[in-house]
Amino acid sequence: MDDHQLSRRPITDQEAQYITRTEELAYELKVEEVMTRDVKCLAPDMKMHQALELFRTERISGAPVVVDGVLCGVVSLEDLIRCLTNNDLDAQVKDYMTANPITISHTDPVVEALKLFVTTRHGRLPVVDAQRRLLGILTKGDITLGLLQALQKDYQIEEVRRYRASHLFEDIVSDRTSLILRYNIKPRDFVHGGAASSNLKRALLRLGANPQIARRCGIAVYEAEMNLIIHTTNGGVIRAEIEPHQISIEATDDGPGIKDVELAMRPGYSTASDEVRELGFGAGMGLVNIQRCVDSMKLESTWGKGTRLRMKLFMKPENTVGEGHSSS
Amino acid sequence: MMNIHELIHLVNGVLLTPQSNLNREVKGAFAADLMSDVLAAIQPEAVLVTGLCNPQVIRTAQMAEVAAVILVRGKTPPAETINLANQEGIPFVSTPFGMFEVCGRLYNSGVKSLERPVDPDFCDCG
């Protein structure tokens, strides 16, 4: 992997910008969130053969040594081997333990523990509070598991939203259920331009719409939204009615209207200002794009009164919004 | 196929959205300054090469399911564009090279065009 190569040489400023979500989580997650709490402990006056027995029955390779809950040492596999070589299993734990071991605080971010694992080459770190009371133990495995769970949680939040929304059409019974979303579009609001279509597209995906339908709908509404921002006097309203078998969208405004609707529909025809063209729009392709994306489109306009653009997208039975809903 | 990480190296780019997933693959490329052209002709999961740096670039990228946006000629986009890219999870890269150079580098590395051919029904040039 590329990332592996990076860690072997000094990291440049440029590379330091490549922080992944996992790395970010290593800074966000605290040690106490990922550590193992139920720790098997030893006491200083226990015999080393008891330590051996604990390691064997619990299948562990190290244990902290505590007095009244306060950490005073650790016994590692190496300490045990030293004891075995001396044939000294009747000795006390305190004679073979590593006193004053390196610890980590429960409030430290996981990334600090990762650094300690690298610099000390230890397999586990006792987790303590400010009074050196033992709270848990941390292994690299705990960190991996904690990071995976945190990533899973990120993913699940969106999944849950999607799941809830996709059952909307099933859970609510009526002869004809529809969901209406309205977006008010302000004139010349280029900074927020596209926010309405973006939200509509996200809503469709959460409702379980086929991604291709959501994409087509998103593009069509985006062009309509930009038209309202670019051309209208007072802005306008986008109204989307979502039903299991179709999406009907209306973009309406109260002026100035289009002088020649047929001409406006011609590819490349545009009345947009240079300012709008600098934004990458006004190439006279908006209405053409909309027509390409929707199944039916109707543009009505009266000069001096306003414009109404109606669009429809029909879902094939296998693409209906909501899960397992058949089209009516 | 190429991922975002390799893409950044190829164009000597700087990543403007540090939270982006750099392992994401790009399936091809598309270059334009006209956002309507992008919406009309781009296919999903392309890298978009553009000289425009307003928020509409990111909105367009989101609508068109673009895998990454490369901003040419070393421009510094406004904060709202970068914020939007972060929010929508779209990798946003700035490169010192111009449009031609970036496209050439991508093409030489085997990145294919993801531009849909012009529909003769909508073409006035015939």
Side-chain angles (χ1 to χ4, degrees):
Chain A
M1 283 277 292
D2 245 10
D3 296 17
H4 198 72
Q5 290 170 3
L6 293 180
S7 63
R8 286 189 195 160
R9 54 190 169 80
I11 292 173
T12 65
D13 283 353
Q14 198 179 8
E15 283 159 354
Q17 295 181 59
Y18 306 154
I19 297 171
T20 62
R21 179 67 185 138
T22 324
E23 287 170 80
E24 205 178 58
L25 278 170
Y27 285 86
E28 279 175 22
L29 280 177
K30 298 280 176 274
V31 166
E32 62 189 344
E33 293 176 75
V34 301
M35 68 182 187
T36 301
R37 286 168 188 277
D38 181 24
V39 187
K40 303 290 172 220
C41 296
L42 294 165
D45 54 0
M46 285 168 87
K47 298 283 201 255
M48 280 305 280
H49 65 80
Q50 288 178 286
L52 174 74
E53 193 56 20
L54 182 77
F55 284 18
R56 200 178 60 78
T57 53
E58 297 294 332
R59 294 174 154 264
I60 52 178
S61 53
V65 185
V66 293
V67 178
D68 296 331
V70 175
L71 182 78
C72 61
V74 288
V75 175
S76 69
L77 217 48
E78 277 170 57
D79 299 327
L80 187 63
I81 289 168
R82 208 152 40 83
C83 172
L84 282 167
T85 321
N86 296 347
N87 208 357
D88 196 15
L89 281 173
D90 277 332
Q92 287 189 321
V93 162
K94 64 171 177 243
D95 297 331
Y96 280 95
M97 73 178 189
T98 306
N100 301 315
I102 295 165
T103 59
I104 186 134
S105 161
H106 63 120
T107 54
D108 276 342
V110 160
V111 69
E112 290 303 322
L114 286 171
K115 283 183 207 160
L116 277 178
F117 281 132
V118 173
T119 52
T120 66
R121 295 176 165 231
H122 286 345
R124 74 187 60 69
L125 288 165
V127 183
V128 294
D129 63 12
Q131 286 75 44
R132 281 189 79 78
R133 276 194 298 260
L134 184 77
L135 300 174
I137 203 126
L138 186 73
T139 63
K140 287 183 204 166
D142 291 329
I143 295 180
T144 309
L145 198 66
L147 286 175
L148 281 174
Q149 280 169 349
L151 283 171
Q152 172 87 357
K153 206 193 273 173
D154 275 6
Y155 177 70
Q156 267 176 355
I157 292 169
E158 178 62 22
E159 281 291 290
V160 165
R161 283 183 178 152
R162 220 168 250 218
Y163 179 82
R164 282 190 192 141
S166 68
H167 281 67
L168 185 76
F169 285 101
E170 279 173 22
D171 295 345
I172 294 164
V173 179
S174 84
D175 289 333
R176 186 175 169 183
T177 306
S178 67
L179 179 67
I180 296 176
L181 309 176
R182 291 181 189 80
Y183 301 96
N184 297 322
I185 312 299
K186 290 189 198 130
R188 252 64 64 201
D189 184 10
F190 292 109
V191 173
H192 297 106
S197 36
S198 169
N199 285 328
L200 175 60
K201 185 181 176 187
R202 193 170 295 130
L204 284 172
L205 289 171
R206 283 191 181 149
L207 286 165
N210 171 296
Q212 214 203 332
I213 295 271
R215 178 180 146 85
R216 282 168 50 203
C217 191
I219 292 177
V221 175
Y222 184 37
E223 291 281 11
E225 186 179 354
M226 289 312 292
N227 277 346
L228 291 176
I229 292 171
I230 294 168
H231 298 291
T232 58
T233 319
N234 302 312
V237 177
I238 291 173
R239 178 188 181 277
E241 182 172 5
I242 305 162
E243 291 174 88
H245 64 290
Q246 66 176 17
I247 306 165
S248 319
I249 305 140
E250 248 185 42
T252 48
D253 64 75
D254 61 0
I258 302 168
K259 275 180 180 153
D260 186 338
V261 170
E262 206 182 314
L263 192 62
M265 287 295 298
R266 191 181 295 173
Y269 179 81
S270 175
T271 56
S273 66
D274 286 346
E275 183 204 356
V276 168
R277 285 171 202 264
E278 272 171 29
L279 290 170
F281 286 87
M285 293 303 291
L287 290 170
V288 184
N289 266 352
I290 293 173
Q291 196 165 48
R292 197 178 49 84
C293 287
V294 299
D295 292 312
S296 88
M297 165 179 166
K298 200 168 179 187
L299 179 64
E300 296 162 306
S301 188
T302 311
W303 178 246
K305 284 261 172 76
T307 303
R308 180 160 74 161
L309 172 65
R310 281 180 289 181
M311 304 165 264
K312 271 192 180 193
L313 289 102
F314 303 114
M315 264 78 90
K316 291 184 198 126
E318 67 268 24
N319 290 344
T320 52
V321 175
E323 278 186 0
H325 201 291
S326 60
S327 58
S328 45
Chain B
M1 291 278 266
M2 184 180 281
N3 67 23
I4 311 292
H5 199 113
E6 294 159 338
L7 194 71
I8 293 170
H9 277 273
L10 185 69
V11 300
N12 289 6
V14 174
L15 184 69
L16 303 171
T17 50
Q19 289 149 10
S20 305
N21 171 13
L22 300 180
N23 296 321
R24 191 168 165 185
E25 298 275 344
V26 298
K27 287 196 176 157
F30 185 99
D33 285 343
L34 264 183
M35 293 301 111
S36 291
D37 275 353
V38 177
L39 291 170
I42 201 169
Q43 287 166 292
E45 288 169 74
V47 51
L48 171 64
V49 186
T50 187
L52 273 186
C53 54
N54 58 64
Q56 261 56 54
V57 172
I58 303 302
R59 283 292 178 216
T60 303
Q62 187 207 359
M63 290 305 155
E65 276 143 46
V66 160
V69 176
I70 298 183
L71 183 59
V72 299
R73 298 186 55 75
K75 282 173 213 170
T76 309
E80 52 261 37
T81 309
I82 298 176
N83 292 344
L84 192 61
N86 267 322
Q87 189 188 316
E88 299 300 340
I90 295 171
F92 193 20
V93 177
S94 178
T95 169
F97 301 124
M99 177 90 94
F100 183 81
E101 175 74 24
V102 171
C103 293
R105 281 176 181 240
L106 290 172
Y107 198 89
N108 270 343
S109 306
V111 176
K112 295 291 170 221
S113 167
L114 274 188
E115 182 165 356
R116 243 192 303 260
V118 175
D119 187 338
D121 289 350
F122 290 133
C123 185
D124 266 2
C125 60

